[in-house]
Amino acid sequence: MKQVLLSILLFYSFVCFSQLIDNSNCTAFSDDPFFNSVFIRTNKIKALRGSISTKKELGVIKNSDLVMNFEFDKKGNLIMQYHSYKKKNKRDTTFIHYIYSDARDLITKRTNDPHGFYSYNYEYNKDAQIVKKTYCRDHNSGKSRSQFVLGKQF
């Protein structure tokens, strides 16, 4: 009887345990996708939006006008993240767009810098291992950085 009860408890602990952030690849809060897509899909999360606050040691929390946002598709994949930052008292925003294959492998990670957009493009073998990684400069034919439309790729 004890073994059956223990087995049931272990089963439920694995089935019911779910975490929003998947840090198994040590990529949490980097420019790589780090969310648990199963959790996102199961809970039908479309976006996470937050503001950035700072605190010095023994100081009070200070709000800033800086943001960090994440958007997901219906499959639970991170499709865009953006965050704002201050540089020389000027606010700017970095966007990162993600494109996935039908097999849910990341095939493009595109971001912007002061000179425009660039991307890393990935190709996989049949075992879902990266066999090719290409760096490209990208021209945005869209009207804004948040709505990227690929024009030319160099």
Side-chain angles (χ1 to χ4, degrees):
M1 181 65 178
K2 288 182 182 178
Q3 292 175 341
V4 172
L5 184 59
L6 182 61
S7 298
I8 291 171
L9 288 173
L10 284 174
F11 174 75
Y12 280 115
S13 68
F14 287 114
V15 171
C16 297
F17 179 74
S18 191
Q19 197 161 327
L20 179 63
I21 295 176
D22 177 7
N23 198 28
S24 59
N25 295 324
C26 299
T27 59
F29 298 102
S30 69
D31 61 348
D32 291 326
F34 55 87
F35 288 98
N36 181 341
S37 59
V38 174
F39 182 88
I40 299 292
R41 181 178 61 246
T42 302
N43 292 286
K44 298 178 182 168
I45 298 172
K46 296 178 183 177
L48 295 172
R49 304 185 193 293
S51 60
I52 299 172
S53 299
T54 59
K55 179 184 178 302
K56 292 182 180 178
E57 191 173 336
L58 302 175
V60 297
I61 297 173
K62 294 183 180 180
N63 293 328
S64 68
D65 60 346
L66 303 178
V67 297
M68 181 173 271
N69 296 316
F70 305 93
E71 296 182 9
F72 307 94
D73 64 12
K74 291 182 180 182
K75 296 177 183 175
N77 296 317
L78 178 64
I79 55 172
M80 181 171 65
Q81 71 167 297
Y82 59 95
H83 67 277
S84 57
Y85 61 92
K86 285 187 179 177
K87 186 175 182 180
K88 296 182 182 177
N89 290 329
K90 235 179 147 183
R91 181 180 154 169
D92 201 356
T93 305
T94 298
F95 290 88
I96 306 173
H97 302 267
Y98 304 92
I99 301 171
Y100 300 87
S101 69
D102 292 335
R104 299 182 63 196
D105 292 320
L106 178 65
I107 55 174
T108 300
K109 177 174 59 174
R110 179 174 289 118
T111 190
N112 65 297
D113 63 16
H115 306 291
F117 278 89
Y118 63 91
S119 63
Y120 290 100
N121 302 283
Y122 306 94
E123 292 181 21
Y124 297 83
N125 64 15
K126 61 182 168 108
D127 298 323
Q129 297 171 325
I130 297 174
V131 293
K132 186 176 181 182
K133 180 179 178 180
T134 309
Y135 172 85
C136 298
R137 291 301 298 189
D138 300 331
H139 177 263
N140 183 9
S141 294
K143 296 183 181 195
S144 72
R145 289 186 285 175
S146 64
Q147 302 296 321
F148 182 88
V149 177
L150 182 61
K152 291 184 178 181
Q153 201 167 51
F154 309 94

